[in-house]
Amino acid sequence: YGEAWENAWNDHLTDWSLKQSVENIEISSLSILAMNENIFNVSHSWSEVHMTVCSKVKLYDEALAGNATEYHGFDKDDKLIDLGHIADFIPCKIVGTNRERETFDVVYYWNKDDPVQKFVTELALEEIHLSEYYILKDLPAFFLMFTEKPGRSDERRAGSFRHEIMIPDDIFPESWKD
């Protein structure tokens, strides 16, 4: 990317390494990688930067099959509601683990206003499911992962590396230029 970028990167690495050793803060992307590699570690839980998400499709399938049941085991949890749904995943919380079967019991928020969830609710669940929270027992570990909370990933941290990439004009054909 050029000499200026390379120098800025090297300066950043030196500064970043010093800050990390002084701050001794776990970096979200590195810790999330380790968390997903050892998903049954009992110390894994939600934090300021981490959360668990479950496959939206799998939860829908299980709900339609009648395997998800109402859950009233805790008071309203705004974290599950406020985070909303992230692409193909729904924020969920682990409430039980079965290492032998490699499954989790998870609690999640059923958003009746979400277009897909509204469709599922109207299809089969309106009379059965009246709660906002549901528990699904024995969700295979494959359908759960740790991720960073929105806006909390490493690239959003103060001091993250930012530097323009200098691309010389002569690498582009004349017909591409204004």
Side-chain angles (χ1 to χ4, degrees):
Y1 298 125
E3 189 176 331
W5 186 93
E6 192 74 30
N7 290 338
W9 175 247
N10 289 333
D11 291 345
H12 172 74
L13 286 180
T14 302
D15 186 44
W16 178 80
S17 298
L18 292 173
K19 280 183 186 175
Q20 293 306 310
S21 63
V22 171
E23 293 175 359
N24 197 20
I25 294 175
E26 224 179 347
I27 301 168
S28 67
S29 61
L30 293 178
S31 57
I32 287 171
L33 179 62
M35 292 166 90
N36 283 317
E37 286 175 354
N38 186 10
I39 202 159
F40 286 98
N41 184 331
V42 293
S43 67
H44 298 343
S45 64
W46 281 37
S47 71
E48 290 301 311
V49 288
H50 305 112
M51 61 187 277
T52 46
V53 292
C54 295
S55 164
K56 186 187 286 188
V57 171
K58 181 65 172 172
L59 292 180
Y60 290 159
D61 289 348
E62 294 296 330
L64 283 173
N67 297 328
T69 57
E70 292 182 21
Y71 186 74
H72 302 285
F74 58 84
D75 292 330
K76 186 175 179 180
D77 186 342
D78 290 336
K79 289 181 182 176
L80 282 176
I81 297 170
D82 293 343
L83 289 173
H85 296 176
I86 304 160
D88 296 330
F89 297 94
I90 295 176
C92 59
K93 288 197 175 180
I94 299 169
V95 293
T97 303
N98 185 327
R99 287 177 186 255
E100 267 183 35
R101 296 179 64 187
E102 295 188 348
T103 63
F104 293 100
D105 297 343
V106 296
V107 172
Y108 62 96
Y109 174 73
W110 187 269
N111 180 359
K112 291 183 179 182
D113 294 327
D114 176 274
V116 175
Q117 290 181 36
K118 186 174 184 175
F119 174 73
V120 171
T121 301
E122 290 170 357
L123 253 184
L125 304 176
E126 192 62 45
E127 295 177 18
I128 302 168
H129 297 289
L130 303 174
S131 175
E132 291 181 321
Y133 296 100
Y134 294 88
I135 186 168
L136 177 62
K137 295 189 176 275
D138 296 320
L139 175 71
F142 176 79
F143 296 104
L144 179 139
M145 71 177 187
F146 290 92
T147 189
E148 64 272 336
K149 288 181 178 175
R152 302 295 289 199
S153 58
D154 294 338
E155 63 267 9
R156 298 194 183 270
R157 289 180 67 170
S160 293
F161 181 70
R162 306 238 189 318
H163 195 275
E164 62 273 2
I165 297 173
M166 306 307 288
I167 301 175
D169 285 341
D170 61 351
I171 70 165
F172 298 106
E174 287 299 320
S175 60
W176 289 13
K177 296 178 186 176
D178 290 340

